[in-house]
Amino acid sequence: MASPGMIDWDVAVATARALVRPGPDVTPAEARAVATELRALVPDAERHVAAFARLTIPDTHVPVAIVDRVGWVRANVDGFQVALEPLVGKIAEKRRAEPGPVVRAVGSRVTGVQVGTVMAYLAARVLGQFELFLPPGEGDNGRLTLVAPNIVETERRLGVDPHDFRLWVTLHEVTHRTQFTAVPWLRGYFTGQVKEYIDAADLDPAQLLHRLRDAAGAVRGAVTGGDGGSLLEALQTPEQREIVARLQALMSLLEGHGDYVMDGVGPAVVPTAETIRERFDERRKGSGPVDRMIRRLFGLDLKMRQYAEGEKFVRSVADAVGMDGFNRVWASPETLPTPAEITDPAAWVARVAAPALGATEDGGA
């Protein structure tokens, strides 16, 4: 588990619990009904996704987790602790040069408050996710999580049909589970990249001070609307930026594929899919100036670009070579699109899909 000297996770959870907005007004019976419906929708969504995406999925999964906002925070704290484990040794080596235990304890609590504040913001917005970093014994292939109060609150704000919206959301999140369970190497590759990113952290005090100055510029830029970059970008080392470029290309692919599959399946099984998509896309843009500032500060506006660029990539490739041709992307880490190819689908087709299709045609001639 992550070192308590780095982040006080109990403080992070307590802070998020205190700050997170209350969920929508529902009775206990209504809450149980929503959870029951979401669980029932998952296997139906999985069948639709697997058929459209032409991916083979395993017969069994860890059961879907239906959580509230605090439950989402706890689950992500567990994931962060697992993900940050490689950093523990590096921090332990620095302990001799660190201030005394009292100062360290105060620092970890301050960091815990900061992490908890960010998590409180996200906990009220996330509809669902596929968790890859799980504590030992909680699943080797990840876990699908749906945040019930956020789904209910969003469907109410958008004014859309509740059943249709719940199925629509489930289709997208199940697509992510399908990606990672149908492609055996993908989870290990993704988590490996994240661990490399964490291991590349530079704990040199002088370098940290330099990046903290860049971070201050990012904060000023987010507040004033200037181009200061995100806080996360400012804190990265050069090596981490290279890893992030690969991860961003992968995330664009995964998110774009999720939207493409959801839109491909949706009209056949979700009667109001077009209305939901239109209103949901407006929601993704953020609402007021404070919300936009927070999204910019923490790089959440990047996720919006990932949806748009990724879906354009998937759609362009599928139009050019069909779904089977597109599925060459899952063959190995080498067949993933590069950061440049995400915005140039034809380059990926020329490098990966076209040679594979040519080899198939030659073999069948």
Side-chain angles (χ1 to χ4, degrees):
M1 293 301 173
S3 168
M6 182 171 56
I7 300 172
D8 190 321
W9 294 108
D10 290 336
V11 169
V13 173
T15 301
R17 180 195 290 273
L19 295 179
V20 71
R21 292 190 291 105
D25 185 18
V26 296
T27 67
E30 289 172 330
R32 288 193 295 271
V34 171
T36 298
E37 181 177 16
L38 288 172
R39 288 193 181 93
L41 288 173
V42 168
D44 288 340
E46 189 170 61
R47 285 192 291 272
H48 292 303
V49 167
F52 181 84
R54 300 177 66 84
L55 293 172
T56 303
I57 56 177
D59 295 331
T60 58
H61 295 295
V62 174
V64 59
I66 311 296
V67 300
D68 59 12
R69 290 169 176 173
V70 175
W72 179 87
V73 169
R74 289 199 186 101
N76 278 268
V77 163
D78 289 343
F80 284 143
Q81 287 180 300
V82 172
L84 291 173
E85 197 169 5
L87 202 55
V88 172
K90 294 181 71 171
I91 290 179
E93 293 174 2
K94 294 284 184 180
R95 280 286 171 90
R96 295 177 185 176
E98 285 183 356
V102 174
V103 176
R104 288 201 304 268
V106 171
S108 69
R109 290 187 177 92
V110 170
T111 308
V113 170
Q114 294 168 335
V115 171
T117 301
V118 175
M119 296 187 78
Y121 172 80
L122 295 175
R125 300 186 63 85
V126 175
L127 302 181
Q129 68 186 57
F130 185 64
E131 300 175 61
L132 295 173
F133 292 96
L134 297 176
E138 293 194 16
D140 295 331
N141 294 318
R143 177 176 59 209
L144 176 64
T145 298
L146 297 173
V147 190
N150 294 352
I151 293 173
V152 171
E153 183 174 81
T154 303
E155 70 195 24
R156 290 179 178 178
R157 286 186 175 180
L158 298 181
V160 294
D161 179 83
H163 174 78
D164 283 7
F165 184 72
R166 294 167 195 177
L167 177 54
W168 190 78
V169 170
T170 304
L171 287 168
H172 183 93
E173 301 306 331
V174 163
T175 299
H176 289 321
R177 182 170 76 174
T178 299
Q179 292 162 348
F180 282 98
T181 54
V183 183
W185 56 266
L186 185 58
R187 182 173 185 243
Y189 174 79
F190 183 90
T191 56
Q193 291 291 303
V194 172
K195 289 177 180 177
E196 282 186 33
Y197 175 87
I198 294 171
D199 194 51
D202 188 348
L203 301 180
D204 177 71
Q207 292 299 319
L208 283 173
L209 179 60
H210 176 74
R211 287 196 295 278
L212 285 172
R213 289 170 179 160
D214 290 342
V219 173
R220 287 194 298 272
V223 172
T224 62
D227 187 16
S230 76
L231 184 60
L232 299 181
E233 289 172 331
L235 293 173
Q236 291 164 5
T237 67
E239 184 180 353
Q240 285 177 318
R241 290 192 183 99
E242 292 181 8
I243 298 169
V244 165
R246 294 195 295 270
L247 282 171
Q248 286 176 348
L250 176 57
M251 290 304 299
S252 292
L253 171 69
L254 298 178
E255 296 292 1
H257 184 245
D259 272 8
Y260 178 79
V261 172
M262 180 173 62
D263 287 346
V265 173
V269 299
V270 181
T272 58
E274 184 176 349
T275 299
I276 291 173
R277 161 64 84 181
E278 180 179 319
R279 296 180 185 178
F280 191 77
D281 283 347
E282 286 298 314
R283 173 189 182 269
R284 278 179 174 169
K285 296 177 182 177
S287 49
V290 174
D291 185 62
R292 289 194 292 271
M293 180 191 73
I294 294 174
R295 293 175 68 90
R296 178 181 176 81
L297 182 60
F298 291 103
L300 299 180
D301 54 346
L302 173 64
K303 193 171 182 68
M304 291 177 57
R305 293 199 299 274
Q306 287 174 344
Y307 282 112
E309 292 178 353
E311 185 178 11
K312 183 178 179 181
F313 172 86
V314 177
R315 190 173 302 280
S316 297
V317 172
D319 287 347
V321 296
M323 186 56 73
D324 287 334
F326 166 80
N327 281 341
R328 288 291 304 165
V329 78
W330 312 120
S332 73
E334 289 70 33
T335 60
L336 290 173
T338 65
E341 288 170 342
I342 279 291
T343 55
D344 186 4
W348 181 88
V349 170
R351 180 176 69 88
V352 177
L357 292 172
T360 301
E361 290 170 0
D362 290 344

